[in-house]
Amino acid sequence: MPDPTRIDCDIHNEIPNLETLYPYLPDHWLDYCRESAFNGPDAADYPESVPISAREGSSARPDLAEVQNRALQDVEIGILNCAYRVQSVRNEDLAASLATAVNQWQVEHWLEKEPRLRASIVAPSHNPALAAKEIERWGDHPGFVQVILPVRAEAPYGNRRYDPIYSAAVKRDLAIGIHYGGAPGHPPTPTGWPSYFIEDYAGMAQIFQSQVISLVCEGAFERFPTLRVALIEGGFTWLPSLMWRIDKEWKGLRHNTPYVRRPPSEYMRTHLRLTIQPLDAPPNPLHLAQILDQCGAEDLLLYASDYPHCHDDQDILLELLTADQRKKICSANARAFYRL
Amino acid sequence: MTAQFGSTASVESGPVTKDQTNGHGANSPASSVQPAPRYRAPLDTAIIDTDIHIYFPTQDTLRSYLDERWQDYHRTYGQRGFDGSHYPRAMPNAARHDAWPEDGTPPGSNLPLMQKQLLDEWNIEVGVLNPLVGAGEQRNLAFGAAFARATNEWQVAEWLDPEPRLRASIIVPWEDGELSAAEIDRWGSHPGFVHALLIARTKEPLGRRKYWPMYEAACRHDIPIAIHFGGAAGVPITGSGYPNHYIEDHGGMPQTFQAQVISLIFEGVFQQFPTLKFVLIEGGFAWIPPMLWRMDSAWRKLGSEVPHVTEPPSQLFRRHFWVSTQPMEEPFKPEQFRQLLGQLDLDDRLLFATDYPHWDFDAPDRAFPVPLDKERRRKFMAENARLLYKL
């Protein structure tokens, strides 16, 4: 069976260093950056030398040539997720200017040079009004297909403070991509700061779960019925357990949130999509097949390599799929979701 | 092997009317829960309830167990914990409406009513008390220690002595490892205490070394450490800030349990304390298989950071953890619940619990959404707890 066309929904283009952005910064912030010891956002989501940051022969910050040679082979369209964490820059105006610079850089160095690529708008989402402006600036550019938000934020994404972001996104038919990482200043767990990177990494799935609960239970999908949210690099095998739990909670407590009109799992199925890497797969393929079946995964999953990050082999998943399911997960779901 | 799915999800399917008021002026929900007839299990096994809550009937009762200095302190300054993260419960005291004693004291504070509604009604052989009184959340640690000790003395005098079916929890001021160890040493050989009780939202992840003296004491007495739903740690209840609603607090507690398991395993607690046992109470359990898959995968790639973790996290979990059943996740279809039990592979570790007198009480005949074979019923309803707690 020939491989179906692939749309890769998670390829990373990282800013090499702050100087890369200097040509795109206004004089004021250029001076500020030069005069201060500022080196850019201090979020350390993927320290360059940890074993998952780059696969063998790849660099943690690949340039366009590397992405073309190693990630775009056999790929029809690749979606770039730049993880530059302007949200961890406390000065919101500087964060906004950095975001504009990042997006300009994405246009000039990636989108204009490689027609197979699409990109994600980086926005200062800790100030939703400024973030909305950034979305408006780029929203009509055909190369941008989503707004990328770090999964760790100051408040959960169902909170109404983020409505200007969603409003700007749905107006331009852009998706929201919630991506691994972020550094909002408070701990990554509900019980304080862990010691090790491996705990941050393993625990990131819980923050995705919290975001799903928030988006559904705070009514974001009722306020924005066309809002589409991709959960990127957070795993997906936890989705059935979350659906079961929150549906049960809703039966007991929905009088507290009357605007959540349908069982939470229905909103999840309708509005969420999840990328397939990291797989976090069980050792027994039967269990993975059960998970896929339990949440209706053929319509929810988006193929992603997460290049250059290094994760488990995805064949265990792809081999479970029928030709039709493979087509959906490898390209059709993404084509519909991102309007490609 | 081919996976069979039948989902009809669609981003294009335009849902219901847009509501600019965020629903505060909305009509009743458009869809309603269809009440299917609930499966009822036969009550043909012994029942051990591993999660019963008791409370002081009045603050005077608590004070009567404190010495004069702390009585005075408590009267003057009261209880001071980590403020600012309270979600009002959906119902007073998060309790069943029928669990209020006639004298107006709080649900769970009246032994005869609890005997009638729980122990006698359901023929409970043994019930484990988990008092959630806040001793461990006192910022004044010396007062927390006195508060914990008073709670333990109260449990012996007013619950264990008059009712032989009950067992108690050693309440500890968990943010101080040494004081907690002293409290465990005080009660560890008393046959009425079966575990030391912590709350899920501690100030730091429980694998951190400040908590280790407490674990050492638990090993000394061979009693498990129980981690129960709830708490206020002074940090947001998600890794991404504070949500708005109680349903997010209540429904989001499994994420806290996951954070604690990740910490305990990757900090090397079980290499340091090979006989230590943990009981996770009121956290559900469907999240366990995917969490273990992710942890194993992370350990394969990032194990070099934690060389003290010398075996797969899933193996450590299955050796060192027990899990109570309530509130259990309810899959869409009965066979999915059986799939879940298969993925869990914890038939010897699930412990039945009612959570009396709280609103989400699980009745022994209605707790499990599907029929279970007799062997599993025996284990879950009583025998796993009997072995763990040496009852």
Side-chain angles (χ1 to χ4, degrees), chain A residues 190-192, chain B residues 80-87 89 134 136-139 174-175 198-204 211 228-237 242 249 253 256:
Chain A
T191 178
Chain B
R80 297 178 63 255
F82 303 99
D83 305 335
S85 58
H86 185 65
Y87 291 81
R89 295 342 194 185
E137 293 166 282
Q138 297 305 309
R139 283 191 275 161
W174 56 75
E175 297 301 343
L198 316 181
I199 205 100
R201 285 210 177 96
T202 47
K203 254 177 79 180
E204 293 182 50
Y211 300 108
H228 188 281
F229 178 107
V235 300
I237 71 167
Y242 285 102
D249 174 34
M253 199 62 68
T256 306

Side-chain angles (χ1 to χ4, degrees), chain B residues 98 170 185 202 214 218 282 299 301 335 342-343 350 357 388:
Chain B
D98 66 347
I170 303 176
D185 284 337
T202 47
M214 171 166 64
E282 210 180 320
W299 177 74
K301 288 173 283 196
E335 70 264 26
Q343 294 171 11
L350 286 185
L388 171 68

Side-chain angles (χ1 to χ4, degrees), chain A residues 51-52 151-156 159-160 186-199 201-207 209-211 213-214 217-218 222-223 225 228 234 237-238 241 243-251 253-254 256-259 261-263 265 269-270 273 278 280-283 286-287 290-294 296 298-299 310-312 320 322 325 339, chain B residues 1-5 7-13 15-19 22-24 26 29-33 90 200-205 208 233 235-248 250-252 254-256 258-260 262-263 266-267 283-284 286-287 290 293-294 297-302 305-306 308 327-332 336 339-340 342-343 359:
Chain A
I52 54 170
V151 70
R152 290 181 58 203
E154 285 177 7
N159 192 298
R160 273 172 291 185
H186 53 229
T189 86
T191 178
W193 293 93
S195 310
Y196 298 108
F197 177 78
I198 193 172
E199 296 175 79
Y201 177 79
M204 204 65 73
Q206 285 80 65
I207 309 175
Q209 292 158 29
S210 299
Q211 295 292 13
I213 295 172
S214 169
C217 293
E218 303 207 6
E222 285 290 337
R223 295 196 301 281
R228 320 186 311 273
T237 52
W238 44 263
S241 65
M243 287 176 160
W244 300 335
R245 171 77 189 224
I246 305 303
D247 275 10
K248 180 168 177 168
E249 293 286 333
W250 178 76
K251 286 179 192 170
L253 296 170
R254 65 195 173 117
N256 285 2
T257 53
Y259 43 86
R261 295 157 196 250
R262 299 180 286 149
S265 61
R269 285 205 174 93
T270 306
R273 296 294 179 265
D280 298 331
L286 173 66
H287 292 162
Q290 291 169 350
I291 293 286
L292 297 174
D293 182 53
Q294 287 163 359
E298 71 176 82
D299 294 314
C310 179
H311 297 297
D312 293 332
L320 284 172
T322 63
Q325 291 165 343
R339 319 294 198 222
Chain B
M1 189 184 329
T2 299
Q4 305 281 320
F5 328 130
S7 166
T8 54
S10 163
V11 185
E12 288 77 26
S13 76
V16 295
T17 333
K18 189 169 173 179
D19 181 9
N22 200 10
H24 294 301
S31 59
S32 60
V33 185
R201 285 210 177 96
T202 47
K203 254 177 79 180
E204 293 182 50
R208 303 229 346 138
V235 300
I237 71 167
T238 81
S240 186
Y242 285 102
N244 273 320
H245 304 299
Y246 174 51
I247 187 173
E248 298 172 82
H250 194 265
Q255 285 74 54
T256 306
Q258 292 174 70
Q260 297 290 24
I262 288 170
S263 170
F266 285 135
E267 290 271 7
W287 47 267
W293 301 333
R294 184 172 174 92
S297 161
W299 177 74
R300 285 195 298 271
K301 288 173 283 196
L302 298 167
E305 191 193 17
V306 285
H308 46 270
M328 76 183 79
E329 292 85 351
E330 295 191 18
F332 305 120
Q336 293 172 343
Q339 292 170 355
L340 169 58
Q343 294 171 11
W359 66 270

